[in-house]
Amino acid sequence: MDIRDTSESWEVVSAQRPFRGAKTAVASEEVRMPDGSVARRDFQVHPGSVCVLALDEQGRVLVLRQYRHPVRHRLWELPAGLLDVPGENPLLAARRELYEEAHVKAEDWRVLADFFASPGGSDEAVRIFLARGLSEAEGERYEVSDEEADMELARVPLGDLVRDVLAGELHNPGLVTGVLALSAALAAGGPDTLRPALAPWPARPYQA
């Protein structure tokens, strides 16, 4: 059996945007079901995101900790950010986020995993990159603000993160997906078997 997700779109009878924010919006759509009935689906419209699992020569992952108001938690996360420009190259966005949030650059980039963050309530698509060959970025550090001004940075062994994910101690979806995906990749041939950094991303098409 061929187990893979497939693209499909049911008929949208009507569509509204009752809320538009600075980066995201809420869509309210009437969708025709396979039996002919019509149901309303309300969901967040999101530009998409990138995450970076930056792995150093000692097998440690660069993580940061910041407050997330909707869940009332301070979470350990991977460097991440929005795809602010429609059609933006996700690799360029990932390089930018790694520089801005950690002042780090990387020589080797691979696609680690793609996923939908919450497909029942949002169209947000996330691409996680594996970044290796880390070094300090040149120039002055990027000036952060708001929640990012209170961020903590750390480098944690991959095995410790896997253990804490399985123990229910870590909850950010990018970090959970990234560390488990890397652990699986290391057990199944290593990082060099991962997709190239400019692999197609049907969920968020871009110009390479």
Side-chain angles (χ1 to χ4, degrees):
M1 182 180 294
D2 187 17
I3 303 297
R4 66 177 64 192
D5 296 335
T6 57
S7 177
E8 184 173 341
S9 182
W10 293 355
E11 178 189 0
V12 176
V13 178
S14 67
Q16 298 179 349
R17 295 285 174 91
F19 171 79
R20 294 179 184 270
K23 299 293 185 181
T24 67
V26 172
S28 182
E29 298 184 351
E30 300 286 338
V31 181
R32 192 173 304 284
M33 302 289 106
D35 64 1
S37 63
V38 174
R40 193 177 86 179
R41 294 289 180 263
D42 301 324
F43 59 94
Q44 181 193 35
V45 180
H46 194 284
S49 306
V50 292
C51 296
V52 183
L53 195 158
L55 186 71
D56 68 15
E57 297 297 327
Q58 289 76 48
R60 300 175 302 173
V61 177
L62 194 158
V63 292
L64 53 90
R65 188 171 183 242
Q66 63 177 320
Y67 176 68
R68 293 301 190 181
H69 186 70
V71 295
R72 306 310 200 265
H73 271 69
R74 189 179 292 270
L75 301 178
W76 284 103
E77 306 178 351
L78 302 177
L82 299 178
L83 295 170
D84 293 314
V85 180
E88 182 177 14
N89 185 315
L91 176 59
L92 298 182
R95 291 183 186 275
R96 180 185 68 234
E97 294 302 328
L98 185 61
Y99 164 74
E100 292 182 356
E101 295 192 344
H103 200 65
V104 166
K105 64 180 181 179
E107 295 300 321
D108 186 83
W109 291 81
R110 308 280 173 144
V111 174
L112 183 56
D114 297 328
F115 69 98
F116 293 113
S118 181
S122 171
D123 70 351
E124 180 183 4
V126 183
R127 168 158 281 189
I128 305 177
F129 289 92
L130 172 64
R132 295 180 296 167
L134 308 183
S135 60
E136 190 80 3
E138 294 91 358
E140 296 183 4
R141 296 187 68 93
Y142 181 80
E143 186 173 346
V144 296
S145 60
D146 301 325
E147 291 96 337
E148 294 181 349
D150 194 37
M151 285 193 308
E152 303 172 50
L153 291 173
R155 295 194 182 202
V156 182
L158 175 65
D160 291 357
L161 293 174
V162 171
R163 179 199 64 206
D164 291 343
V165 166
L166 297 179
E169 301 293 339
L170 299 171
H171 307 92
N172 176 269
L175 185 146
V176 170
T177 303
V179 300
L180 295 183
L182 179 56
S183 180
L186 291 173
D192 291 339
T193 64
L194 294 170
R195 287 173 289 164
L198 294 176
W201 190 14
R204 290 294 185 273
Y206 65 93
Q207 292 292 325

